Amino acid sequence: MVNIPKHDSVEAVWAFGDSFFDSGNNNFLNTLIKANFPPYGKDFMGGVSSGRFTNDRTISDYIVKKLGVKDYLPAYLDPYIREKDLPTGVCFASAGSGYDGVTSQIQNVMPLSIQLEMFKDYILKLNRIVGEEAAKHIIKNGVYLVSSSSNDWSISYGLVPVRRLQYNATDYANLLANNARMFFEELYKLGARKLIVFGTPYIGCFPLMRNVFGGIRRNCVNMFNEDAETFNKMLKSQLEYLRSSLPHSTICYVDYFNLSREIIQNHLQYGFEDVDNACCGTGLYETSYLCNRLSPICPNDSKFLFWDSLHLTDKGYKIIVDHALPQLMQCFEGAAIDVENEENMENESILAESSNSVVLADLGGFWCALVTEHKGLEGGKICEVMVVWWQWAAEAKMVGFSDDGGDLKEAR
């Protein structure tokens, strides 16, 4: 478990995006992009094929475990999910999705827009379970994981190149980066304040891409690695903008590209003997239903970086998280205090508005008594009209007080 300062402790984690996080949501979709059958999950909870695209835990599972939140992140669509699991976070990710909605359409999976709708539904359930105030605190203080874009490049711009016919790589990267920014802004509107965003990995060296595009020697495909780098630079630029434009937000970037490149290029240092092929099947192209109970698997998956042709083994994901988490903790240093300050400011604002309304009512009552005393019945009628105006003004914030507690002033 990672050492985390008390004020920075994490109580809940939510995951959005693709198969690097999906813990079983696609099990309940009408799609071919699934992993709820052997040999997937052969090491997960004694051999449960939960829908995770690996032999054991995903990246999001390792993050919640190492943060001390819980052992793994359950899929939100799982009908057997327990109510007590909701306050500590769930997974909304859908394997095969991307920042580009077309990518999700091609594979009939849940785009980020639907994942957002599920999060809204989750918030309603959380309000019912713990109450609105407690739910608001949980939502603002939790951590949000996002991993998308790999399928945009491997599917929509690669294997089913509909987007390559419409955009050059730079323009497509720009489209994805803008879509990513808009998604993060929507998450922020729903209460998210701490985001962990994964970039595109070293995808040109993943077995499937090498087998399809790498020629007879199955070389790493430089084109896809260069496209990933172009996108990652644009993504980081958008994150910089959001850090300055979204108050009280903490947005951390995980350099998945360089982390995965480092492991591939120096694999022996990490205990991997094979980073060219996957453990499942021939190791060249099997993923999802092509990696099934009839597929032979390697005798020792800890020697392989890739479980199937597009996804890492449990060991590979663990190394990624082990290397990323210390930097993430540094990024989040003080973030909890910032969110707490935001909540305090909101409470002070509510108290100030309430105080203004009370003072306005008191002033209105004093003014009425004064007018009625001097004008009699006529003053009383004027008073009735003015009381209605004072109440309306207080509720509509048409009037306020100067900072020094002096005269009333018109609100801007």
PDB file of all heavy atoms in Angstrom, residues 361-373:
ATOM      1  N   ALA A 361     -35.086  41.329   5.648  1.00  0.00           N
ATOM      2  CA  ALA A 361     -36.424  41.203   6.239  1.00  0.00           C
ATOM      3  C   ALA A 361     -36.559  42.101   7.460  1.00  0.00           C
ATOM      4  O   ALA A 361     -37.588  42.756   7.664  1.00  0.00           O
ATOM      5  CB  ALA A 361     -36.683  39.745   6.610  1.00  0.00           C
ATOM      6  N   ASP A 362     -35.498  42.137   8.296  1.00  0.00           N
ATOM      7  CA  ASP A 362     -35.530  42.989   9.487  1.00  0.00           C
ATOM      8  C   ASP A 362     -35.636  44.459   9.109  1.00  0.00           C
ATOM      9  O   ASP A 362     -36.401  45.220   9.710  1.00  0.00           O
ATOM     10  CB  ASP A 362     -34.272  42.759  10.327  1.00  0.00           C
ATOM     11  CG  ASP A 362     -34.293  41.395  11.005  1.00  0.00           C
ATOM     12  OD1 ASP A 362     -35.378  40.774  11.035  1.00  0.00           O
ATOM     13  OD2 ASP A 362     -33.222  40.969  11.486  1.00  0.00           O
ATOM     14  N   LEU A 363     -34.849  44.875   8.099  1.00  0.00           N
ATOM     15  CA  LEU A 363     -34.908  46.266   7.650  1.00  0.00           C
ATOM     16  C   LEU A 363     -36.285  46.595   7.097  1.00  0.00           C
ATOM     17  O   LEU A 363     -36.834  47.678   7.318  1.00  0.00           O
ATOM     18  CB  LEU A 363     -33.849  46.517   6.587  1.00  0.00           C
ATOM     19  CG  LEU A 363     -32.402  46.632   7.091  1.00  0.00           C
ATOM     20  CD1 LEU A 363     -31.464  46.732   5.897  1.00  0.00           C
ATOM     21  CD2 LEU A 363     -32.243  47.859   7.977  1.00  0.00           C
ATOM     22  N   GLY A 364     -36.864  45.615   6.364  1.00  0.00           N
ATOM     23  CA  GLY A 364     -38.197  45.841   5.800  1.00  0.00           C
ATOM     24  C   GLY A 364     -39.236  46.025   6.890  1.00  0.00           C
ATOM     25  O   GLY A 364     -40.099  46.905   6.815  1.00  0.00           O
ATOM     26  N   GLY A 365     -39.134  45.192   7.947  1.00  0.00           N
ATOM     27  CA  GLY A 365     -40.090  45.308   9.037  1.00  0.00           C
ATOM     28  C   GLY A 365     -39.949  46.638   9.767  1.00  0.00           C
ATOM     29  O   GLY A 365     -40.943  47.288  10.109  1.00  0.00           O
ATOM     30  N   PHE A 366     -38.707  47.062   9.995  1.00  0.00           N
ATOM     31  CA  PHE A 366     -38.478  48.340  10.667  1.00  0.00           C
ATOM     32  C   PHE A 366     -39.028  49.495   9.827  1.00  0.00           C
ATOM     33  O   PHE A 366     -39.695  50.405  10.337  1.00  0.00           O
ATOM     34  CB  PHE A 366     -36.966  48.523  10.889  1.00  0.00           C
ATOM     35  CG  PHE A 366     -36.611  49.888  11.410  1.00  0.00           C
ATOM     36  CD1 PHE A 366     -36.826  50.226  12.732  1.00  0.00           C
ATOM     37  CD2 PHE A 366     -36.063  50.843  10.551  1.00  0.00           C
ATOM     38  CE1 PHE A 366     -36.486  51.493  13.202  1.00  0.00           C
ATOM     39  CE2 PHE A 366     -35.743  52.099  11.008  1.00  0.00           C
ATOM     40  CZ  PHE A 366     -35.945  52.438  12.337  1.00  0.00           C
ATOM     41  N   TRP A 367     -38.782  49.458   8.501  1.00  0.00           N
ATOM     42  CA  TRP A 367     -39.246  50.533   7.612  1.00  0.00           C
ATOM     43  C   TRP A 367     -40.767  50.591   7.605  1.00  0.00           C
ATOM     44  O   TRP A 367     -41.372  51.658   7.628  1.00  0.00           O
ATOM     45  CB  TRP A 367     -38.706  50.276   6.204  1.00  0.00           C
ATOM     46  CG  TRP A 367     -39.041  51.366   5.218  1.00  0.00           C
ATOM     47  CD1 TRP A 367     -38.341  52.491   4.982  1.00  0.00           C
ATOM     48  CD2 TRP A 367     -40.177  51.410   4.353  1.00  0.00           C
ATOM     49  NE1 TRP A 367     -38.948  53.260   4.033  1.00  0.00           N
ATOM     50  CE2 TRP A 367     -40.088  52.610   3.620  1.00  0.00           C
ATOM     51  CE3 TRP A 367     -41.253  50.551   4.127  1.00  0.00           C
ATOM     52  CZ2 TRP A 367     -41.042  52.970   2.668  1.00  0.00           C
ATOM     53  CZ3 TRP A 367     -42.198  50.920   3.183  1.00  0.00           C
ATOM     54  CH2 TRP A 367     -42.084  52.115   2.469  1.00  0.00           C
ATOM     55  N   CYS A 368     -41.432  49.398   7.588  1.00  0.00           N
ATOM     56  CA  CYS A 368     -42.901  49.340   7.588  1.00  0.00           C
ATOM     57  C   CYS A 368     -43.483  49.999   8.836  1.00  0.00           C
ATOM     58  O   CYS A 368     -44.445  50.765   8.772  1.00  0.00           O
ATOM     59  CB  CYS A 368     -43.373  47.882   7.546  1.00  0.00           C
ATOM     60  SG  CYS A 368     -43.490  47.227   5.881  1.00  0.00           S
ATOM     61  N   ALA A 369     -42.894  49.617   9.980  1.00  0.00           N
ATOM     62  CA  ALA A 369     -43.410  50.180  11.238  1.00  0.00           C
ATOM     63  C   ALA A 369     -43.288  51.696  11.232  1.00  0.00           C
ATOM     64  O   ALA A 369     -44.198  52.422  11.679  1.00  0.00           O
ATOM     65  CB  ALA A 369     -42.641  49.587  12.414  1.00  0.00           C
ATOM     66  N   LEU A 370     -42.174  52.201  10.695  1.00  0.00           N
ATOM     67  CA  LEU A 370     -41.936  53.636  10.670  1.00  0.00           C
ATOM     68  C   LEU A 370     -42.934  54.351   9.757  1.00  0.00           C
ATOM     69  O   LEU A 370     -43.525  55.364  10.124  1.00  0.00           O
ATOM     70  CB  LEU A 370     -40.497  53.896  10.188  1.00  0.00           C
ATOM     71  CG  LEU A 370     -39.994  55.338  10.295  1.00  0.00           C
ATOM     72  CD1 LEU A 370     -39.948  55.765  11.764  1.00  0.00           C
ATOM     73  CD2 LEU A 370     -38.607  55.472   9.672  1.00  0.00           C
ATOM     74  N   VAL A 371     -43.183  53.805   8.562  1.00  0.00           N
ATOM     75  CA  VAL A 371     -44.105  54.436   7.609  1.00  0.00           C
ATOM     76  C   VAL A 371     -45.530  54.397   8.131  1.00  0.00           C
ATOM     77  O   VAL A 371     -46.285  55.366   8.037  1.00  0.00           O
ATOM     78  CB  VAL A 371     -44.006  53.739   6.227  1.00  0.00           C
ATOM     79  CG1 VAL A 371     -45.112  54.236   5.305  1.00  0.00           C
ATOM     80  CG2 VAL A 371     -42.637  53.985   5.602  1.00  0.00           C
ATOM     81  N   THR A 372     -45.923  53.239   8.705  1.00  0.00           N
ATOM     82  CA  THR A 372     -47.295  53.099   9.210  1.00  0.00           C
ATOM     83  C   THR A 372     -47.561  54.089  10.329  1.00  0.00           C
ATOM     84  O   THR A 372     -48.641  54.679  10.433  1.00  0.00           O
ATOM     85  CB  THR A 372     -47.522  51.655   9.714  1.00  0.00           C
ATOM     86  OG1 THR A 372     -47.277  50.755   8.639  1.00  0.00           O
ATOM     87  CG2 THR A 372     -48.955  51.473  10.199  1.00  0.00           C
ATOM     88  N   GLU A 373     -46.574  54.303  11.191  1.00  0.00           N
ATOM     89  CA  GLU A 373     -46.743  55.216  12.314  1.00  0.00           C
ATOM     90  C   GLU A 373     -46.994  56.649  11.837  1.00  0.00           C
ATOM     91  O   GLU A 373     -47.798  57.368  12.401  1.00  0.00           O
ATOM     92  CB  GLU A 373     -45.486  55.158  13.202  1.00  0.00           C
ATOM     93  CG  GLU A 373     -45.587  56.066  14.429  1.00  0.00           C
ATOM     94  CD  GLU A 373     -44.349  55.997  15.301  1.00  0.00           C
ATOM     95  OE1 GLU A 373     -43.506  55.097  15.056  1.00  0.00           O
ATOM     96  OE2 GLU A 373     -44.231  56.827  16.204  1.00  0.00           O
TER      97      GLU A 373
END
